[in-house]
Amino acid sequence: MKFDTPATANPIDRGRVVGVAHDRIEGAAKVTGTAPYAYERHDVAPNAAYGWIVGSAIAKGRIAAMDLTAAEAAPGVLGIVTHQNAGPLGKGNRNTAHLLGGPAVEHYDQAVALVIADTLENARDAARLLRIDYNAENGKFDLAAARGSASKPEDGFGGPADTSAGDFDAAFVRAAVQIDQSYTTPDQSHAMMEPHATTAAWNGDRLTLWTSNQMIAWAVGDMAKTLKIPKDRIRIVSPYIGGGFGGKLFLRADALLAALGARAVGRPVKVTIARPQIPNNTTHRPATIQRIRIGADKDGVIDAIAHEVWSGDLPGGGPETAAQQTRLLYRGDHRRTAHRLATLDLPEGNAMRAPGEAVGMLALEIAMDELANCCDIDPVELRIRNDVQYDPEAGPQRPFSSRKFVECLRQGAARFGWDKRHARPGQQRDGRWLVGMGMAAAFRNNLVAPSGARVGVDGQGRVTVETDMTDIGTGSYTIIGQTAAEMMGVPLEAVTVRLGDSRFPVSSGSGGQFGGNSSTAGVYAACVALRTKLAERAGFPAEQVIFEDGLLRLGNQSQGLGAVAGPDGLWAEDKIEFGDLTERYAQATFGAHFCEVGVDVNTAEVRIRRMGGAFAAGRILNPKSARSQVIGAMTMGAGAALMEELHVDKRFGFFVNHDMAEYVVPVHADIPEQDVLFLEELDDKSSPMKAKGVGELGICGAGAAIANAIYNATGIRLRDYPLTIDKLIGQAEGSALA
């Protein structure tokens, strides 16, 4: 099905199943421990051996020698895989560094060996007996120091590296009000619950990987390229994923080494990347330095805006495209965005929940708060004055497909009680706590991707959906089931959903906030094809038949779904392909974050008292799971604001706090109250579902709302994340904290 014209009325609009809050259909299996995750596939590999990854002890250089003798003689050891015996290996299209290092070492903790034994404990203990000598080389580990050597990267997933419109320099110089500030964000870890894990087994020359991966088709392609075998010899199975946040978009060392280990010892092998290895061995969100300049009149109306971003990655890597939202969010005839990429020898930087906008909004929305302060304008009103209904870089000829940004601002402010905020900082106190309110816009591009599915009906009228789409905790099982139920006219309980298997049609996968909207659109397309087949078999005109209550209805005639399908059932397969609507219309999701914090006058401790937000993201397919996604994202935004930071040892090039004891993330108790409002909205140019993604929108701007609330409470403006106690104390003189 080609989606190249706006959607018209269709069965989804009935709203009997889609748009209704439903419990997750796989929820019971997860909470009872019966949903099998990758490392737990004892059912398919009861005789599996265990692998333990050995990571490089240097960040850059070469392996001079490896002594495996003691490890090979250790109890239970079955084999050891290194670059010396792994055979010829390639590198996947989406991997920056090689997943098995040696003799060259590209980053600290890069996998250089896998020790395989009969038990996990024996593998771990034997791994400590390996003796590896290195020839270390000097590397670059400091973004600030490497900033001057950064260069313009190639255009990529986030669009062009640089954009411009008008004459920014001239407009900025003549502006009555000027903001020119720099902001920094640190390296961050995904910190998902389930570590990267794989169970691998060979059957002759065919490989099956039960793994934790967000993008099944990508994993098949990159594994085939890495092992240098045909794609049709590889099966990837990933029905349940315990969180990903982008860290499992790409093939990682656990999958490759499990495959190599299983081939080496002739039996299935389980490999997980141990928690302390994840930050340095896998991917992370790169640090950024961001300069934002805004020129406006005395009423806060923006005429000139520029956003320049510096980030770093390994050779061949890409930038953190943190200026993406600045291209679309606010008005201004004179504009400039630029990204610069420095070569760093730190572990690979790559996608993490809302790459680009998540950190870009941390900077942009503080800058907007600073502009509001300079102009003595309420921050909500300032954003309303700078709303624009078309792509400000392209002009009115490229309007937004839908944009309820102003409605989010107004309704969110009213719901939060924004009118009770004291405009002047440091004016509200509750005992020993200085209390402040802050707000920020929420913005995330609406991305779409081709997605396929197969849908069938059996003789009992039960509907089955098969697609390689994954569920990373986002509720894919449920919204896909809702889509099929709505389209086929059956209750959700009559739908079986099968996900995460490369034998199923290729979907969009889970990433970039495009998964839910695109994958359900693919199921919609397959259901349209199945409806046509069923109508033809029933002898009804396909364009007139109504599917409801398990029946095909035409006037006063009806036939049961199962009866029409017959004892052998009936199947149909199709995929959604998107046309040029994303080029003709700017597509994005919008929202407004609000936060109230307390800051202890004695210790400078920050506590979030409550958070709220109003969001517009097209049709909300399942309000219950969508709210869960947004409050989770808001919590992640709180972590980015107040505590999350991978500390770089700039001497040796690694992240020091590489475990959950020292990489601090927020928990439920850190945010006692969260409120979410979804505005009613249909976007007929996004997909036949008239929906948009929502999972990443909630993180974009949340941290900046906290930063602005801290300023309102204390009068201290912090521009370097995370906003820790030492930074507040360092600027306390002359503030309400003094």
Side-chain angles (χ1 to χ4, degrees), residues 25 84 100 108 166 205 277 335 339 397 483 488 551 656 719 726:
I25 60 178
Q84 297 171 335
L100 176 61
Y108 182 85
D205 62 356
Q277 295 175 316
R335 320 176 64 84
H339 297 94
Q397 64 270 24
T483 303
M488 303 311 301
L551 301 170
V656 179
R719 302 184 180 93
D726 57 307

Side-chain angles (χ1 to χ4, degrees), residues 8-61:
T8 55
N10 65 53
I12 297 297
D13 295 328
R14 294 183 299 187
R16 296 182 180 181
V17 188
V18 170
V20 178
H22 288 276
D23 292 344
R24 295 185 185 178
I25 60 178
E26 87 292 2
K30 288 181 175 177
V31 300
T32 58
T34 56
Y37 288 83
Y39 204 72
E40 302 167 341
R41 294 310 300 264
H42 314 302
D43 55 327
V44 296
N47 63 329
Y50 294 82
W52 188 272
I53 295 174
V54 177
S56 168
I58 64 170
K60 186 178 182 181

